[in-house]
Amino acid sequence: MSTRGVVYVHSSPSAVCPHVEWAISGTLSTRAELRWTAQPAAPGQLRAECEWRGPAGIAGKLAGALKAWPMVRFEITEEPSPGVDGQRFCHVPGLGLWHARTSANGDIVVPEDQLRSLVAKSRASEQLAHKIDELLGAGWDEALEPFRHAGDGAPVTWLHQVG
């Protein structure tokens, strides 16, 4: 089952950029030549993004490959495909990797059992609110938002998985 998505490299040191391209290339089995631009939200860092096509579930493999460089801020989306939820991965230095399933319109999907468990374990409303924020990736969104805005209007590269 084929799907598509986007890899947003929000910030990377210039010395790591070739490694990021190699990781994306190796995962998608196609050459990735990203167009790197300055990241105004982090002077001295670069940013790039690419749209990709490949089999459902490959976003997780891309995230696994990119998290090898803990100083890189990135976000990966995978659109849902027939019978398969979409996915979103975010990585922020200091916070690590966050992952959630997404619906057809891009909303975060939290399984019913996970919500029931949170409610049962939470002793106060503040604790429940904090746990829900974690499930929804609020800390990652807050940390990435300045980097997202700094990339508005940046060029996008298209990649298609071979084979």
Side-chain angles (χ1 to χ4, degrees):
M1 188 66 54
S2 183
T3 189
R4 63 185 184 168
V6 182
V7 175
Y8 302 93
V9 181
H10 292 297
S11 70
S12 174
S14 60
V16 177
C17 293
H19 300 284
V20 169
E21 289 185 15
W22 295 329
I24 294 170
S25 296
T27 304
L28 294 175
S29 300
T30 190
R31 187 177 170 123
E33 292 183 42
L34 304 181
R35 288 184 275 175
W36 296 94
T37 58
Q39 174 51 276
Q45 302 273 310
L46 299 175
R47 65 158 321 282
E49 58 189 71
C50 63
E51 297 191 26
W52 56 268
R53 291 188 188 274
I58 203 158
K61 292 177 182 177
L62 284 164
L66 293 180
K67 76 175 186 174
W69 295 279
M71 72 293 290
V72 175
R73 284 177 184 82
F74 67 84
E75 190 167 5
I76 302 169
T77 62
E78 178 176 303
E79 292 185 6
S81 52
V84 181
D85 289 332
Q87 299 187 79
R88 184 170 151 222
F89 294 84
C90 296
H91 183 271
V92 174
L95 292 178
L97 186 65
W98 171 83
H99 168 255
R101 295 182 351 211
T102 57
S103 66
N105 67 351
D107 286 343
I108 301 300
V109 175
V110 180
E112 177 183 341
D113 289 343
Q114 200 168 7
L115 285 174
R116 289 183 192 281
S117 176
L118 278 182
V119 170
K121 292 177 182 177
S122 297
R123 300 182 188 268
S125 60
E126 298 86 25
Q127 184 181 23
L128 178 60
H130 176 73
K131 296 285 189 187
I132 290 173
D133 278 349
E134 283 181 3
L135 282 176
L136 298 177
W140 286 262
D141 279 339
E142 184 179 321
L144 290 174
E145 198 61 25
F147 296 88
R148 292 174 181 147
H149 286 296
D152 286 348
V156 179
T157 303
W158 270 94
L159 300 175
H160 298 277
Q161 184 176 32
V162 177

